[in-house]
Short mmCIF file of all heavy atoms in Angstrom, two decimals:
data_model
loop_
_atom_site.label_atom_id
_atom_site.label_comp_id
_atom_site.label_asym_id
_atom_site.label_seq_id
_atom_site.Cartn_x
_atom_site.Cartn_y
_atom_site.Cartn_z
N THR J 497 33.92 74.55 71.56
CA THR J 497 32.69 75.33 71.53
C THR J 497 32.96 76.72 70.98
O THR J 497 32.18 77.25 70.20
CB THR J 497 32.08 75.46 72.93
OG1 THR J 497 33.09 75.86 73.82
CG2 THR J 497 31.48 74.18 73.38
N LYS J 498 34.04 77.30 71.39
CA LYS J 498 34.33 78.67 70.94
C LYS J 498 34.65 78.68 69.45
O LYS J 498 34.23 79.58 68.73
CB LYS J 498 35.52 79.20 71.74
CG LYS J 498 35.66 80.69 71.70
CD LYS J 498 34.60 81.35 72.50
CE LYS J 498 35.06 82.71 73.00
NZ LYS J 498 34.09 83.26 73.93
N SER J 499 35.40 77.69 69.01
CA SER J 499 35.80 77.68 67.60
C SER J 499 34.81 76.94 66.72
O SER J 499 35.13 76.59 65.60
CB SER J 499 37.17 77.04 67.46
OG SER J 499 38.15 77.98 67.75
N ALA J 500 33.62 76.71 67.23
CA ALA J 500 32.55 76.16 66.41
C ALA J 500 32.93 74.85 65.74
O ALA J 500 32.75 74.66 64.55
CB ALA J 500 32.09 77.16 65.36
N GLN J 501 33.50 73.92 66.51
CA GLN J 501 33.82 72.60 65.95
C GLN J 501 32.59 71.70 66.06
O GLN J 501 31.69 71.96 66.86
CB GLN J 501 34.99 71.99 66.71
CG GLN J 501 36.26 72.78 66.59
CD GLN J 501 36.77 72.86 65.17
OE1 GLN J 501 37.12 71.86 64.58
NE2 GLN J 501 36.80 74.06 64.60
N PHE J 502 32.60 70.63 65.28
CA PHE J 502 31.52 69.66 65.34
C PHE J 502 31.48 69.06 66.75
O PHE J 502 32.52 68.69 67.27
CB PHE J 502 31.76 68.57 64.30
CG PHE J 502 30.62 67.63 64.15
CD1 PHE J 502 29.59 67.92 63.27
CD2 PHE J 502 30.57 66.46 64.89
CE1 PHE J 502 28.53 67.06 63.14
CE2 PHE J 502 29.51 65.60 64.75
CZ PHE J 502 28.50 65.89 63.88
N PRO J 503 30.37 68.90 67.42
CA PRO J 503 29.01 69.28 67.02
C PRO J 503 28.56 70.62 67.61
O PRO J 503 27.38 70.87 67.72
CB PRO J 503 28.19 68.15 67.64
CG PRO J 503 28.94 67.83 68.91
CD PRO J 503 30.37 68.16 68.67
N PHE J 504 29.51 71.44 68.00
CA PHE J 504 29.14 72.69 68.66
C PHE J 504 29.04 73.86 67.68
O PHE J 504 28.97 75.00 68.10
CB PHE J 504 30.15 73.03 69.75
CG PHE J 504 30.33 71.95 70.76
CD1 PHE J 504 31.52 71.26 70.86
CD2 PHE J 504 29.30 71.62 71.61
CE1 PHE J 504 31.69 70.25 71.78
CE2 PHE J 504 29.45 70.61 72.54
CZ PHE J 504 30.65 69.92 72.62
N TYR J 505 29.17 73.56 66.37
CA TYR J 505 29.21 74.65 65.41
C TYR J 505 27.86 75.34 65.26
O TYR J 505 27.78 76.41 64.67
CB TYR J 505 29.67 74.13 64.05
CG TYR J 505 28.66 73.24 63.39
CD1 TYR J 505 27.64 73.80 62.63
CD2 TYR J 505 28.69 71.86 63.55
CE1 TYR J 505 26.67 72.99 62.06
CE2 TYR J 505 27.74 71.06 62.98
CZ TYR J 505 26.73 71.64 62.23
OH TYR J 505 25.77 70.86 61.66
N ILE J 506 26.80 74.74 65.81
CA ILE J 506 25.45 75.19 65.45
C ILE J 506 25.16 76.64 65.84
O ILE J 506 24.27 77.25 65.29
CB ILE J 506 24.37 74.27 66.07
CG1 ILE J 506 24.67 74.05 67.53
CG2 ILE J 506 24.29 72.97 65.33
CD1 ILE J 506 23.56 73.32 68.24
N TRP J 507 25.93 77.17 66.78
CA TRP J 507 25.62 78.57 67.15
C TRP J 507 26.09 79.55 66.09
O TRP J 507 25.54 80.63 65.96
CB TRP J 507 26.21 78.92 68.51
CG TRP J 507 27.71 78.92 68.58
CD1 TRP J 507 28.51 77.90 68.95
CD2 TRP J 507 28.58 80.02 68.30
NE1 TRP J 507 29.82 78.26 68.91
CE2 TRP J 507 29.89 79.57 68.51
CE3 TRP J 507 28.39 81.34 67.89
CZ2 TRP J 507 31.01 80.38 68.32
CZ3 TRP J 507 29.50 82.15 67.70
CH2 TRP J 507 30.79 81.67 67.93
N LEU J 508 27.11 79.15 65.34
CA LEU J 508 27.72 80.12 64.42
C LEU J 508 26.77 80.57 63.30
O LEU J 508 26.63 81.77 63.07
CB LEU J 508 29.03 79.56 63.88
CG LEU J 508 29.89 80.56 63.11
CD1 LEU J 508 30.28 81.73 63.97
CD2 LEU J 508 31.14 79.89 62.58
N PRO J 509 26.11 79.65 62.60
CA PRO J 509 25.17 80.11 61.57
C PRO J 509 24.06 81.02 62.13
O PRO J 509 23.63 81.95 61.44
CB PRO J 509 24.60 78.82 61.01
CG PRO J 509 25.65 77.81 61.26
CD PRO J 509 26.27 78.18 62.54
N ASP J 510 23.64 80.75 63.35
CA ASP J 510 22.59 81.60 63.91
C ASP J 510 23.14 82.93 64.39
O ASP J 510 22.38 83.89 64.57
CB ASP J 510 21.92 80.88 65.09
CG ASP J 510 20.95 79.83 64.61
OD1 ASP J 510 20.11 80.17 63.75
OD2 ASP J 510 21.04 78.68 65.06
N ALA J 511 24.44 82.98 64.60
CA ALA J 511 25.05 84.25 65.02
C ALA J 511 25.13 85.23 63.86
O ALA J 511 25.53 86.37 64.04
CB ALA J 511 26.45 84.00 65.59
N MET J 512 24.73 84.76 62.68
CA MET J 512 24.80 85.63 61.51
C MET J 512 23.71 86.71 61.52
O MET J 512 23.63 87.53 60.61
CB MET J 512 24.69 84.79 60.23
CG MET J 512 25.90 83.95 60.00
SD MET J 512 27.38 84.95 59.90
CE MET J 512 28.47 84.11 60.99
N GLU J 513 22.87 86.68 62.53
CA GLU J 513 21.87 87.73 62.67
C GLU J 513 22.51 89.04 63.13
O GLU J 513 21.86 90.08 63.16
CB GLU J 513 20.80 87.31 63.67
CG GLU J 513 19.88 86.24 63.16
CD GLU J 513 19.20 86.65 61.88
OE1 GLU J 513 18.77 87.81 61.79
OE2 GLU J 513 19.12 85.81 60.96
N ALA J 514 23.75 88.97 63.52
CA ALA J 514 24.45 90.18 63.95
C ALA J 514 24.69 91.08 62.75
O ALA J 514 24.64 90.63 61.60
CB ALA J 514 25.77 89.79 64.59
N PRO J 515 24.94 92.37 62.96
CA PRO J 515 25.32 93.23 61.86
C PRO J 515 26.57 92.67 61.16
O PRO J 515 27.42 92.05 61.82
CB PRO J 515 25.64 94.56 62.54
CG PRO J 515 24.91 94.53 63.83
CD PRO J 515 24.82 93.11 64.23
N THR J 516 26.67 92.88 59.86
CA THR J 516 27.76 92.25 59.11
C THR J 516 29.16 92.59 59.61
O THR J 516 30.02 91.72 59.63
CB THR J 516 27.61 92.59 57.62
OG1 THR J 516 26.31 92.19 57.24
CG2 THR J 516 28.62 91.86 56.80
N PRO J 517 29.45 93.84 60.02
CA PRO J 517 30.79 94.09 60.55
C PRO J 517 31.12 93.17 61.72
O PRO J 517 32.24 92.70 61.84
CB PRO J 517 30.73 95.54 61.02
CG PRO J 517 29.61 96.14 60.28
CD PRO J 517 28.65 95.07 59.99
N VAL J 518 30.10 92.90 62.53
CA VAL J 518 30.31 92.01 63.67
C VAL J 518 30.62 90.61 63.18
O VAL J 518 31.56 89.95 63.65
CB VAL J 518 29.07 92.00 64.58
CG1 VAL J 518 29.20 90.97 65.66
CG2 VAL J 518 28.86 93.37 65.18
N SER J 519 29.85 90.14 62.20
CA SER J 519 30.10 88.80 61.68
C SER J 519 31.51 88.72 61.11
O SER J 519 32.22 87.73 61.30
CB SER J 519 29.11 88.46 60.58
OG SER J 519 27.81 88.75 61.00
N ALA J 520 31.90 89.77 60.40
CA ALA J 520 33.22 89.75 59.79
C ALA J 520 34.30 89.72 60.85
O ALA J 520 35.30 89.03 60.72
CB ALA J 520 33.40 90.99 58.91
N TYR J 521 34.09 90.47 61.90
CA TYR J 521 35.14 90.61 62.91
C TYR J 521 35.14 89.42 63.88
O TYR J 521 36.13 88.70 64.00
CB TYR J 521 34.89 91.91 63.66
CG TYR J 521 35.99 92.32 64.59
CD1 TYR J 521 37.33 92.07 64.28
CD2 TYR J 521 35.71 92.98 65.78
CE1 TYR J 521 38.34 92.45 65.14
CE2 TYR J 521 36.72 93.37 66.63
CZ TYR J 521 38.02 93.10 66.31
OH TYR J 521 39.01 93.48 67.16
N LEU J 522 34.01 89.22 64.54
CA LEU J 522 33.95 88.20 65.58
C LEU J 522 33.89 86.81 64.99
O LEU J 522 34.63 85.92 65.36
CB LEU J 522 32.71 88.40 66.46
CG LEU J 522 32.83 89.34 67.63
CD1 LEU J 522 32.98 90.75 67.13
CD2 LEU J 522 31.64 89.20 68.53
N HIS J 523 32.97 86.63 64.05
CA HIS J 523 32.62 85.27 63.68
C HIS J 523 33.36 84.80 62.44
O HIS J 523 32.94 83.84 61.82
CB HIS J 523 31.11 85.18 63.52
CG HIS J 523 30.42 85.66 64.75
ND1 HIS J 523 29.48 86.65 64.75
CD2 HIS J 523 30.61 85.33 66.04
CE1 HIS J 523 29.09 86.89 65.98
NE2 HIS J 523 29.75 86.11 66.78
N SER J 524 34.40 85.49 62.08
CA SER J 524 35.26 84.90 61.06
C SER J 524 36.71 85.10 61.41
O SER J 524 37.50 84.18 61.30
CB SER J 524 34.95 85.51 59.70
OG SER J 524 35.48 86.80 59.63
N ALA J 525 37.08 86.29 61.89
CA ALA J 525 38.51 86.56 61.99
C ALA J 525 39.05 86.38 63.40
O ALA J 525 40.19 85.98 63.57
CB ALA J 525 38.79 87.97 61.50
N THR J 526 38.27 86.70 64.41
CA THR J 526 38.91 86.76 65.72
C THR J 526 38.33 85.80 66.76
O THR J 526 39.00 84.88 67.19
CB THR J 526 38.87 88.19 66.28
OG1 THR J 526 37.53 88.64 66.23
CG2 THR J 526 39.76 89.08 65.49
N MET J 527 37.07 86.02 67.16
CA MET J 527 36.61 85.28 68.32
C MET J 527 36.62 83.77 68.10
O MET J 527 37.04 83.01 68.95
CB MET J 527 35.20 85.70 68.73
CG MET J 527 34.81 85.06 70.05
SD MET J 527 33.18 85.47 70.60
CE MET J 527 32.24 84.28 69.73
N VAL J 528 36.16 83.36 66.92
CA VAL J 528 36.12 81.93 66.66
C VAL J 528 37.53 81.35 66.62
O VAL J 528 37.70 80.14 66.70
CB VAL J 528 35.38 81.63 65.36
CG1 VAL J 528 33.90 81.83 65.55
CG2 VAL J 528 35.90 82.49 64.24
N LYS J 529 38.51 82.22 66.50
CA LYS J 529 39.89 81.70 66.51
C LYS J 529 40.44 81.64 67.91
O LYS J 529 41.58 81.20 68.13
CB LYS J 529 40.76 82.57 65.62
CG LYS J 529 40.35 82.42 64.16
CD LYS J 529 41.47 82.74 63.22
CE LYS J 529 41.08 82.37 61.82
NZ LYS J 529 40.69 83.53 61.04
N ALA J 530 39.66 82.09 68.88
CA ALA J 530 40.13 81.99 70.26
C ALA J 530 40.34 80.53 70.64
O ALA J 530 41.28 80.19 71.35
CB ALA J 530 39.14 82.64 71.21
N GLY J 531 39.45 79.66 70.14
CA GLY J 531 39.61 78.23 70.41
C GLY J 531 40.87 77.70 69.77
O GLY J 531 41.60 76.88 70.35
N ILE J 532 41.12 78.16 68.54
CA ILE J 532 42.36 77.78 67.85
C ILE J 532 43.56 78.22 68.68
O ILE J 532 44.52 77.48 68.89
CB ILE J 532 42.42 78.47 66.47
CG1 ILE J 532 41.20 78.12 65.65
CG2 ILE J 532 43.71 78.14 65.77
CD1 ILE J 532 41.29 76.86 64.91
N TYR J 533 43.44 79.45 69.17
CA TYR J 533 44.53 79.98 70.00
C TYR J 533 44.75 79.09 71.21
O TYR J 533 45.88 78.76 71.56
CB TYR J 533 44.19 81.41 70.44
CG TYR J 533 45.10 81.92 71.52
CD1 TYR J 533 46.37 82.41 71.19
CD2 TYR J 533 44.73 81.88 72.85
CE1 TYR J 533 47.23 82.86 72.18
CE2 TYR J 533 45.58 82.32 73.85
CZ TYR J 533 46.82 82.81 73.51
OH TYR J 533 47.67 83.24 74.48
N LEU J 534 43.64 78.70 71.81
CA LEU J 534 43.75 77.89 73.03
C LEU J 534 44.44 76.56 72.73
O LEU J 534 45.34 76.14 73.47
CB LEU J 534 42.35 77.64 73.58
CG LEU J 534 42.30 77.24 75.04
CD1 LEU J 534 42.63 78.41 75.91
CD2 LEU J 534 40.93 76.71 75.38
N VAL J 535 44.02 75.94 71.63
CA VAL J 535 44.64 74.66 71.28
C VAL J 535 46.12 74.85 71.00
O VAL J 535 46.98 74.09 71.48
CB VAL J 535 43.91 74.05 70.06
CG1 VAL J 535 44.70 72.90 69.50
CG2 VAL J 535 42.53 73.59 70.46
N ALA J 536 46.44 75.92 70.27
CA ALA J 536 47.85 76.17 69.95
C ALA J 536 48.63 76.47 71.22
O ALA J 536 49.74 75.99 71.42
CB ALA J 536 47.96 77.34 68.98
N ARG J 537 48.01 77.24 72.10
CA ARG J 537 48.71 77.67 73.31
C ARG J 537 48.97 76.50 74.24
O ARG J 537 50.00 76.44 74.90
CB ARG J 537 47.85 78.75 73.99
CG ARG J 537 48.38 79.32 75.26
CD ARG J 537 49.77 79.85 75.15
NE ARG J 537 49.83 81.27 74.80
CZ ARG J 537 50.87 81.82 74.19
NH1 ARG J 537 51.91 81.09 73.84
NH2 ARG J 537 50.89 83.10 73.92
N PHE J 538 48.03 75.56 74.27
CA PHE J 538 48.19 74.45 75.19
C PHE J 538 48.83 73.23 74.52
O PHE J 538 48.98 72.19 75.16
CB PHE J 538 46.85 74.08 75.83
CG PHE J 538 46.49 75.02 76.94
CD1 PHE J 538 45.82 76.20 76.67
CD2 PHE J 538 46.87 74.76 78.24
CE1 PHE J 538 45.51 77.08 77.68
CE2 PHE J 538 46.57 75.65 79.26
CZ PHE J 538 45.89 76.81 78.98
N SER J 539 49.18 73.38 73.26
CA SER J 539 49.85 72.26 72.59
C SER J 539 51.10 71.81 73.33
O SER J 539 51.32 70.61 73.50
CB SER J 539 50.21 72.67 71.16
OG SER J 539 49.10 72.49 70.34
N PRO J 540 51.96 72.73 73.78
CA PRO J 540 53.17 72.25 74.47
C PRO J 540 52.86 71.41 75.70
O PRO J 540 53.70 70.65 76.14
CB PRO J 540 53.88 73.54 74.88
CG PRO J 540 53.32 74.59 74.04
CD PRO J 540 51.95 74.18 73.66
N ILE J 541 51.65 71.55 76.24
CA ILE J 541 51.33 70.80 77.45
C ILE J 541 50.75 69.43 77.10
O ILE J 541 51.13 68.41 77.66
CB ILE J 541 50.33 71.59 78.31
CG1 ILE J 541 50.96 72.91 78.72
CG2 ILE J 541 49.91 70.80 79.53
CD1 ILE J 541 50.03 73.84 79.42
N PHE J 542 49.81 69.44 76.14
CA PHE J 542 49.07 68.20 75.92
C PHE J 542 49.54 67.40 74.71
O PHE J 542 49.16 66.26 74.55
CB PHE J 542 47.58 68.52 75.72
CG PHE J 542 46.94 69.11 76.94
CD1 PHE J 542 46.50 70.41 76.95
CD2 PHE J 542 46.77 68.34 78.07
CE1 PHE J 542 45.91 70.95 78.07
CE2 PHE J 542 46.19 68.86 79.19
CZ PHE J 542 45.75 70.17 79.20
N ALA J 543 50.35 68.04 73.86
CA ALA J 543 50.55 67.46 72.53
C ALA J 543 51.29 66.13 72.56
O ALA J 543 51.32 65.44 71.55
CB ALA J 543 51.30 68.44 71.64
#
Side-chain angles (χ1 to χ4, degrees):
Chain J
T497 49
K498 198 72 154 188
S499 278
Q501 297 297 296
F502 188 88
F504 305 113
Y505 69 85
I506 48 172
W507 65 267
L508 191 60
D510 282 310
M512 290 302 132
E513 288 303 318
T516 305
V518 173
S519 312
Y521 189 35
L522 273 68
H523 306 125
S524 75
T526 53
M527 188 181 84
V528 286
K529 293 205 171 102
I532 303 275
Y533 168 80
L534 199 71
V535 168
R537 179 54 92 205
F538 282 86
S539 277
I541 299 173
F542 296 112

